[in-house]
Structure formats: C-alpha cells, structure tokens
C-alpha cells in the first residue's frame, strides 16, 4: 500500500515536471519564430457617405481584404484573432480607431485568405470629420498560444482618402 502510494506520487511529480518543462520550451521556441506576413487591403467602393441629423458622419465601404498569416502559426498556436480598423487623426484625438471587420483564424490552413466585404461594423465618426479625411486601414492580430503569452502585431496600409463630398 505504502509503496504504491509513494510510486504514484513520484510518477505524478515527474509528469508535472515534464509538463512544466514542455510549457517553458513551447513559449521559448515560439519566440524564435519571426513571422513573415503579407497583408493587402483595398477600398473597392465607397457605397455611400452621409451626415446623420446628429452631425455624425457615416460611410459604407466595400473592402477587399487579403492576408497570408500562415507564418504566425506554430505547433503552439491555438488561434489568431484579426481585425481591420480605420485609423485617422482629428483635432480632438490623435488616434481614432474604428473596427470595420474581424474574424478568428482557427488554423494555418485558414490563415491565407481573401474576403470581399462591406464593413461588418458601422464606420461612424463622432462628429463630421470624415470629408476628405486621410486614413490608414490597419490589420491587427492577436496570436493566442496554447501555452505562454499572447502577442499582438499589425500591418498598416496607409494612403486612403475619403471623398470631399457626401454622396
Ligand atoms: C481581392 O484581392 C485578391 C488578392 O489580392 C485578388 O486576387 C482578387 O482578385 C481581389 N478581388 C477583387 C474583387 O478585387
Ligand atoms: C498612418 O500611417 C502612417 C504611416 O505608417 C503613420 O505615420 C501615421 O501616423 C498613421 N496615422 C494614424 C492616424 O495612425
């Protein structure tokens, strides 16, 4: 009895130690991976652009979002959360960020994609700042590992400009 309990305990300790070592190694080896990603975002159309009665601007865009994020995936990657945001400057705020689209990439096979879509979330500015506004379309990603720390990065596509007039 005694010796069985002792051996089971020793085995458990050994298993826990191995597991802890694997977790440390997993997060260490993960950090050696330098991702080589490709992102392209095009505005295919400005569907409409208007000022609401409350003076907030709203614009509807059709986007072509394409990305190859396969290099973010290692054997330690659980999933990757991505979102595309419009980022622009106003007199009040140096950075306004409006999320336009998001998605969860469950596996490496799904990490190379392109999607032709209108903005999934409303692009509303709290004010009427969008006419002729220069903006960046930025893809942000959060890599969720099986063990270890989450990390985030982004790719900025700059040089977009909204129309001067509502339509
Ligand atoms: C969207 O982008 C992809 C990849 O760059 C391209 O192959 C595709 O033709 C584009 N689609 C449209 C509708 O522009
Ligand atoms: C847009 O991108 C450019 C170039 O990366 C950067 O200098 C600028 O600060 C960005 N603008 C905003 C509002 O984030």
């Amino acid at each position: 009895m005694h010796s069985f309990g002792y051996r089971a305990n020793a085995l458990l300790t050994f298993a826990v130690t191995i597991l802890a070592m694997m977790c440390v190694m997993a997060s260490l080896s993960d950090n050696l991976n330098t991702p080589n990603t490709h992102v392209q975002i095009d505005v295919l159309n400005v569907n409409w652009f208007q000022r609401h009665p409350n003076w907030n601007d709203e614009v509807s865009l059709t986007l072509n979002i394409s990305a190859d994020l396969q290099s973010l995936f290692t054997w330690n990657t659980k999933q990757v959360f991505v979102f595309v945001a419009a980022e622009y400057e106003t007199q009040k705020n140096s950075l306004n960020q409006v999320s336009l689209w998001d998605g969860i990439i469950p596996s490496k096979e799904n990490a190379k994609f392109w999607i032709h879509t209108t903005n999934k979330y409303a692009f509303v500015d709290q004010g009427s700042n969008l006419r002729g506004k220069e903006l960046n379309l930025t893809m942000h990603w959060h890599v969720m590992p099986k063990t270890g720390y989450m990390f985030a990065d982004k790719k900025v596509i700059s040089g977009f400009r909204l129309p001067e007039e509502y339509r």
Side-chain angles (χ1 to χ4, degrees):
M1 267 317 231
H2 242 137
S3 97
F4 175 74
Y6 173 76
R7 280 172 59 185
N9 192 17
L11 198 62
L12 185 68
T13 307
F14 180 67
V16 168
T17 307
I18 293 285
L19 197 65
M21 277 170 58
M22 280 171 65
C23 290
V24 169
M25 280 163 58
S27 26
L28 284 182
S29 71
D30 214 33
N31 290 339
L32 299 177
N33 181 45
T34 45
N36 174 20
T37 53
H38 173 79
V39 174
Q40 183 60 42
I41 305 171
D42 293 308
V43 175
L44 298 181
N45 194 37
V46 176
N47 304 316
W48 45 263
F49 182 25
Q50 53 191 225
R51 183 160 66 198
H52 292 304
N54 62 7
W55 287 74
N56 286 344
D57 278 353
E58 180 170 0
V59 62
S60 165
L61 302 174
T62 299
L63 303 171
N64 189 14
I65 301 166
S66 64
D68 181 351
L69 303 179
Q70 285 184 315
S71 63
L72 296 177
F73 280 81
T74 66
W75 62 277
N76 189 35
T77 307
K78 194 163 149 207
Q79 61 183 25
V80 175
F81 172 71
V82 287
F83 70 96
V84 170
E87 295 174 349
Y88 58 96
E89 202 176 326
T90 55
Q91 280 188 337
K92 238 165 111 186
N93 303 303
S94 60
L95 176 63
N96 297 272
Q97 188 183 67
V98 182
S99 177
L100 301 180
W101 177 87
D102 63 12
I104 287 173
I105 306 172
S107 69
K108 187 170 186 169
E109 291 70 54
N110 298 295
K112 190 172 178 179
F113 61 91
W114 69 269
I115 175 168
H116 181 199
T117 179
T118 56
N119 47 295
K120 180 170 163 187
Y121 304 111
F123 185 175
V124 176
D125 177 66
Q126 308 293 318
S128 47
N129 302 302
L130 295 185
R131 276 171 302 167
K133 179 60 72 185
E134 279 194 32
L135 50 87
N136 293 340
L137 292 173
T138 305
M139 181 178 283
H140 296 258
W141 57 83
H142 294 240
V143 179
M144 293 165 201
K146 290 175 182 154
T147 68
Y149 296 105
M150 189 183 89
F151 77 94
D153 205 351
K154 65 181 179 185
K155 219 155 223 173
V156 181
I157 319 277
S158 45
F160 295 95
R161 184 188 280 276
L162 290 172
E164 297 286 347
E165 302 296 334
Y166 298 117
R167 52 167 89 157

